[in-house]
Amino acid sequence: MTVDIESKLKETRVFYPSKEFSSKAHVKSMEEYEELWKRSIENPEEFWSEIASELFWFEEPKEILVWNEPFAEWFKGGITNISYNCLDRHLETARKNKAAIIWEGEPGDQRTFTYQQLHREVCRFANGLKSLGVEKGDRVCLYMPMIPELAIAMLGCARIGAPHSIVFGGFSAEALKDRINDVGAKIVICADQGWRRGKHVPLKANTDEAIKNCPTIEKNIVVKRVGESVDWNDGKDIWWHDLIDGQSGVCEVTPVESNHPLFILYTSGSTGKPKGVQHSTGGYMVGTYHTTKLVFDIKEEDTYWCTADIGWVTGHSYIVYGPLANGATSVMFEGAPNHPHEGRFWELVEKYRINTFYTAPTAIRAFMRWGEQHPKKFDLSSLRLLGTVGEPINPEAWIWYHKNIGRENCPIVDTWWQTETGCIMISPLPGATPTKPGSCTRPLPGVNPEIVNESGEVVPLGSGGRLVIKQPWPAMLQTLYNDDERYKQAYWSQIPHKYYAGDSARTDEDGYFWIMGRLDDVLNVAGHRLGTMEIESAIVAHPKVAEAAVVGMKDDLTGEAVCAFVTLKMGIEPGDEIIKELKAHVDKEIGAIARPKRLIFTEALPKTRSGKIMRRLLKSIANGEVASGDTSTLEDHGVLKNLTDLASGQDQD
Ligand code: WT7
């Protein structure tokens, strides 16, 4: 038995949910949790079928799971629609006039939609889409700011069975073009511009540039958000407000089979091309509904805020679909946490009396850096539950969050999951699970993870290894868009018969999971996955670059930051000019999130005799460590020495 990953972190503090919290929670104790978990794993079909029956189906599923490894069909034969479950289902109840979405824009403007109002807007927009000839199965690409129209567009697409593909508004025209073309979208939806810290993001201009090279795009629907004039293309562009003008506020939903795709969302992998993660309707709906209810312990009276951008999966599952399927009130915010001041988030908590707050460790580290005086200025007494997602949270940040935001009075749910898993997989249940800072604790009901070594053998307790999931779950990805082979290869080939998450982790004596990080060539920058290959391809595409290798370096704020080792073409001199040029180039090719924080120029990269770049060594150098370990395959040891000297001499930022 080999143990191939060593774990260093040891944390001994334990925090118990208060009696008061537990007594009102959906799951009230560890005994209750254990029983639920056991039943869900021994009898998954019965378990998931009970949960599915809390939602609306035009026709009941014929089979709960058809498992053709690695392809799952959940709730096969079941006919439903997630837009119906998020909206129409509530209209016959007291939720009709309850706030579904409370929105605040960056400049401070506010809009609130009751379930009834949201339903009407979604119907008008869905009718607008139909008027453009959009049919069930057509793909629609959304490249929008965090405005209500984004949620309306998602629910409108879902209503007529048109899978959406959302591209984060921080991505470049180039990245947008690739994603539109991969998915073959017929329609793109953008805004004139977006707000970002008082500045304008040129969403329409980027879209114009992208769709010059997108032959499948027939129309570009443009929301007027900022109001400055934009270039207009009469044949293609249509204002959102003109499209919905005169449309009926009633639009019958298109019933879809449970395995009809709801959306595609691109995420980074270890090869250059982003992966189009495809999610189903029924399974995804059941998964997000159930986890929102259990993990956020959602109650009728809650005001819940997830600070993510809808351009990432967190926003899909926990701003829109999960909360609305539960009939909850979901707060949506367009702005940044430090604009116009570093207390903006806490101002919102006070103003809307938010009681459930879900954010990312990188944001918490930023709050720590800005100082506790900011949250202190606001009344945070409404808060009852806090959550985190995106990367392992360092215990120091956990404790800061607990003290300064939770006032030592709120359970913290550290939720582990992925774009691919669709919903939260490992997390405390706030009324039941004692928490340990830095651990995402125990698997949710219906989730069966374990830690194995390279050969797939279960590692002894406490040892590190590869995190795998042993049983299919409803919200799991269906496949990678148009690429079943890559789906099999990426998730089901490393460890036979188990889903391979690509994370390293360990468990402790209480069966708690501690996630240690990624195993593949993927960086986690501010809770977002970036493929090193993708960034390398972008850098190498620059005419002055001969070769590049990208690795992650530790960063206090973002967790990891991008460090690029670059060999320039003959005759090109390294210096500030080229640093600027390359950073701007990455912004343009992918987006600012992928911009290297540090560029190290070198005459040569360390390679094996067969010509493979030894990234492991570069990673050590980037992190100021001695490049140790096995260097026997290194071709030229001189390169390593030069690089180590260079790295200590070329400081930036
Ligand atoms: C990767 C997934 C799921 C929404 C946000 C990111 C890391 C995520 C945690 C956590 C430790 C975490 C993993 C995972 N990750 N949550 N609570 N503790 N690591 O979605 O872009 O698909 O990234 O984020 O490495 O594999 P994503």
Side-chain angles (χ1 to χ4, degrees):
M1 160 77 55
T2 57
V3 174
D4 48 6
I5 299 160
E6 201 193 327
S7 124
K8 297 199 180 81
L9 187 75
K10 287 271 178 289
E11 169 64 53
T12 50
R13 288 168 285 193
V14 183
F15 295 82
Y16 294 88
S18 70
K19 282 216 174 61
E20 201 211 332
F21 194 104
S22 297
S23 66
K24 294 185 201 143
H26 288 301
V27 178
K28 298 179 172 54
S29 66
M30 272 320 252
E31 293 69 53
E32 205 182 314
Y33 158 77
E34 300 281 6
E35 202 189 300
L36 195 61
W37 188 81
K38 190 158 174 280
R39 187 164 71 81
S40 74
I41 296 306
E42 284 169 0
N43 233 325
E45 300 200 13
E46 183 191 284
F47 173 79
W48 287 115
S49 129
E50 275 171 30
I51 292 162
S53 68
E54 293 175 24
L55 292 158
F56 177 83
W57 301 80
F58 294 98
E59 276 177 44
E60 294 299 319
K62 307 251 177 317
E63 282 170 280
I64 298 307
L65 170 64
V66 178
W67 181 229
N68 223 323
E69 189 192 297
F71 299 98
E73 288 173 283
W74 280 94
F75 310 112
K76 191 170 180 167
I79 308 290
T80 188
N81 184 299
I82 199 169
S83 187
Y84 187 98
N85 274 288
C86 288
L87 300 167
D88 310 48
R89 192 167 77 86
H90 307 305
L91 298 186
E92 301 300 316
T93 72
R95 291 176 184 149
K96 176 180 170 220
N97 294 320
K98 171 178 176 176
I101 294 179
I102 296 177
W103 175 82
E104 182 160 314
E106 179 176 292
D109 41 344
Q110 297 167 35
R111 291 160 76 191
T112 296
F113 294 81
T114 64
Y115 274 92
Q116 167 63 39
Q117 290 167 328
L118 187 61
H119 174 266
R120 184 179 153 76
E121 290 311 311
V122 168
C123 284
R124 292 174 72 206
F125 179 72
N127 282 326
L129 280 180
K130 280 187 179 171
S131 76
L132 297 178
V134 179
E135 290 173 4
K136 180 176 164 188
D138 287 344
R139 277 83 59 215
V140 177
C141 183
L142 281 52
Y143 180 63
M144 300 170 74
M146 281 287 287
I147 52 178
E149 284 79 1
L150 174 50
I152 293 168
M154 294 164 82
L155 293 160
C157 287
R159 197 160 188 90
I160 62 172
H164 56 70
S165 168
I166 306 187
V167 177
F168 171 58
F171 277 123
S172 67
E174 190 64 23
L176 175 62
K177 181 203 76 185
D178 291 344
R179 284 159 178 75
I180 290 178
N181 286 336
D182 194 67
V183 87
K186 190 167 176 175
I187 303 279
V188 58
I189 311 175
C190 69
D192 53 353
Q193 292 177 316
W195 285 107
R196 197 65 189 165
R197 294 193 175 90
K199 296 209 181 81
H200 297 166
V201 186
L203 295 168
K204 170 72 165 66
N206 286 350
T207 308
D208 288 346
E209 194 186 325
I211 64 177
K212 273 187 213 150
N213 296 306
C214 296
T216 55
I217 291 291
E218 293 173 11
K219 288 280 176 214
N220 176 11
I221 304 172
V222 188
V223 181
K224 189 174 263 183
R225 168 63 185 134
V226 171
E228 282 187 351
S229 74
V230 285
D231 286 347
W232 203 252
N233 181 340
D234 277 331
K236 254 188 193 158
D237 300 341
I238 175 165
W239 286 112
W240 172 290
H241 53 262
D242 289 337
L243 179 70
I244 61 168
D245 184 36
Q247 294 292 350
S248 160
V250 179
C251 173
E252 287 297 320
V253 297
T254 303
V256 296
E257 200 273 336
S258 175
N259 294 284
H260 182 69
L262 173 65
F263 68 84
I264 294 117
L265 179 61
Y266 286 84
T267 188
S268 297
S270 42
T271 61
K273 194 169 161 265
K275 303 189 277 198
V277 173
Q278 180 180 316
H279 278 289
S280 72
T281 299
Y284 174 83
M285 171 174 85
V286 170
T288 50
Y289 163 77
H290 173 65
T291 50
T292 304
K293 181 169 161 186
L294 256 58
V295 174
F296 300 110
D297 197 43
I298 282 284
K299 306 278 173 39
E300 214 54 76
E301 61 276 18
D302 287 343
T303 306
Y304 159 93
W305 181 22
C306 163
T307 70
D309 191 290
I310 292 179
W312 310 111
V313 73
T314 309
H316 284 59
S317 301
Y318 297 108
I319 296 178
V320 181
Y321 291 119
L324 299 185
N326 278 279
T329 297
S330 183
V331 174
M332 182 175 171
F333 177 53
E334 181 187 32
N338 57 348
H339 183 85
H341 57 80
E342 282 82 6
R344 185 77 191 267
F345 273 18
W346 319 125
E347 187 177 49
L348 258 74
V349 169
E350 175 182 292
K351 183 169 176 186
Y352 299 109
R353 305 294 295 159
I354 287 160
N355 68 355
T356 310
F357 178 79
Y358 189 32
T359 197
T362 183
I364 298 168
R365 289 192 297 266
F367 303 142
M368 286 173 73
R369 189 182 273 199
W370 297 331
E372 58 201 55
Q373 71 276 18
H374 298 291
K376 281 223 168 76
K377 276 182 228 149
F378 298 94
D379 176 7
L380 305 183
S381 63
S382 56
L383 289 170
R384 65 183 271 275
L385 174 59
L386 305 176
T388 74
V389 61
E391 59 176 309
I393 180 166
N394 35 320
E396 195 196 348
W398 197 102
I399 296 290
W400 189 93
Y401 196 31
H402 172 69
K403 285 199 172 129
N404 293 285
I405 307 305
R407 305 159 334 279
E408 305 189 19
N409 198 24
C410 302
I412 296 180
V413 288
D414 173 352
T415 64
W416 178 86
W417 59 296
Q418 310 177 291
T419 306
E420 293 87 342
T421 68
C423 69
I424 299 170
M425 302 290 279
I426 309 181
S427 165
L429 294 181
T433 318
T435 52
K436 306 182 189 181
S439 170
C440 53
T441 76
R442 303 280 301 269
L444 294 186
V447 178
N448 197 0
E450 84 186 350
I451 299 182
V452 299
N453 67 12
E454 220 171 10
S455 331
E457 300 157 323
V458 180
V459 301
L461 214 71
S463 318
R466 287 148 172 74
L467 178 63
V468 295
I469 313 286
K470 292 200 283 183
Q471 282 169 242
W473 64 101
M476 66 189 281
L477 74 167
Q478 295 183 293
T479 187
L480 294 176
Y481 186 74
N482 247 338
D483 204 346
D484 286 350
E485 273 316 305
R486 192 173 176 203
Y487 165 67
K488 283 189 207 163
Q489 204 279 326
Y491 307 105
W492 299 90
S493 65
Q494 276 85 348
I495 310 290
H497 313 301
K498 286 166 192 169
Y499 170 82
Y500 179 77
D503 279 351
S504 59
R506 68 175 171 95
T507 48
D508 67 14
E509 61 286 358
D510 297 318
Y512 278 42
F513 284 76
W514 298 76
I515 308 290
M516 291 147 61
R518 296 289 304 176
L519 288 157
D520 50 16
D521 289 328
V522 170
L523 309 183
N524 190 326
V525 179
H528 301 305
R529 268 156 67 183
L530 298 174
T532 52
M533 270 288 289
E534 222 174 313
I535 308 172
E536 283 170 12
S537 314
I539 297 177
V540 174
H542 191 281
K544 293 182 185 164
V545 173
E547 200 169 39
V550 163
V551 296
M553 55 180 195
K554 286 196 196 79
D555 187 273
D556 285 349
L557 191 63
T558 56
E560 266 188 309
V562 177
C563 176
F565 291 84
V566 177
T567 307
L568 295 169
K569 285 199 177 140
M570 292 292 280
I572 311 281
E573 282 302 311
D576 289 351
E577 206 47 45
I578 183 83
I579 290 178
K580 246 193 241 154
E581 235 176 86
L582 288 179
K583 287 187 177 182
H585 178 72
V586 172
D587 284 8
K588 182 167 168 291
E589 293 289 312
I590 308 176
I593 42 165
R595 183 191 304 158
K597 182 158 183 193
R598 186 152 187 228
L599 287 148
I600 297 171
F601 296 104
T602 166
E603 298 273 312
L605 292 166
K607 288 186 188 168
T608 62
R609 283 180 186 92
S610 62
K612 273 190 158 177
I613 298 172
M614 295 181 76
R615 288 187 178 69
R616 177 171 55 81
L617 299 180
L618 293 175
K619 194 164 180 172
S620 309
I621 294 171
N623 287 293
E625 294 156 10
V626 184
S628 58
D630 183 12
T631 53
S632 59
T633 54
L634 187 65
E635 197 196 30
D636 176 357
H637 283 263
V639 172
L640 201 60
K641 165 100 184 57
N642 287 347
L643 265 175
T644 313
D645 295 347
L646 272 173
S648 51
Q650 292 182 10
D651 247 335
Q652 297 156 20
D653 284 319

